[in-house]
Amino acid sequence: MSGQEIPAESTDGHPGRRRDASAGSWLPPEQYAETLMKATGFACVHFTDEHDRPVQLRATYSRTHPWQMPGGTMELGERPWQTAVRECHEETGIVVDGPPRLLAAVYGLPGQEWPYSTMGLVFDGGRLTDAQIQAIVLDPAEHDDVRVLSLEEWEPLMPAQDFARLEAVMRARRTGVAAYFDSWDWGEQGEQAPGPPAELP
């Protein structure tokens, strides 16, 4: 079988091509790609202070889901860790050091407000000192406040969906087992928790 005839069921990590039963042949890659799920990717960084209290930024563009982690949508050619580092620096002035430490994989179904699924990764940014938190420089076009609160104090300030993700990320940090969070949907709440399509996390 040539490289042009890789079946859709291929398990080597490369996309296959679905067989066109009516024509008895394999679909060209570009046609097969059109039959697949479409998704946007994002990556963000989770910080706490030295007492393990989550650090969150208040978005200027989302009244429904204002509190979030530094992060954003992946750009063409970017890998998730690159996105997380870039967005974190743009939104806080903090340069995150590696190696990447994955805390959670996040997935959301499409909805009326956005036609694509969303898939993202949350990386551990570590614990910030009081001086580092005070030195955070926000981009006023995206965020206007930074707060450090206990997990219990964050709960009444967030929709249930947002708090559940934060709770899963905190549990992953505590246990060392990465979380799988698959209810980050574009649902009846109107907009997805991260905000508008331009800024997904």
Side-chain angles (χ1 to χ4, degrees), residues 17-33:
R17 300 197 300 168
R18 179 170 298 163
R19 192 172 183 83
D20 183 351
S22 62
S25 62
W26 297 102
L27 291 175
E30 63 275 10
Q31 290 184 28
Y32 175 58

Side-chain angles (χ1 to χ4, degrees), residues 56 62-68 154-167 181 184 189 191-194:
Q56 298 277 284
S62 179
R63 291 174 297 176
T64 309
H65 304 277
W67 295 103
Q68 54 190 245
W154 277 120
E155 185 170 12
L157 301 180
M158 295 179 166
Q161 180 189 47
D162 300 45
F163 182 74
R165 184 181 77 156
L166 180 60
E167 192 173 37
F181 190 80
W184 195 240
Q189 299 181 69
E191 62 175 332
Q192 190 193 35

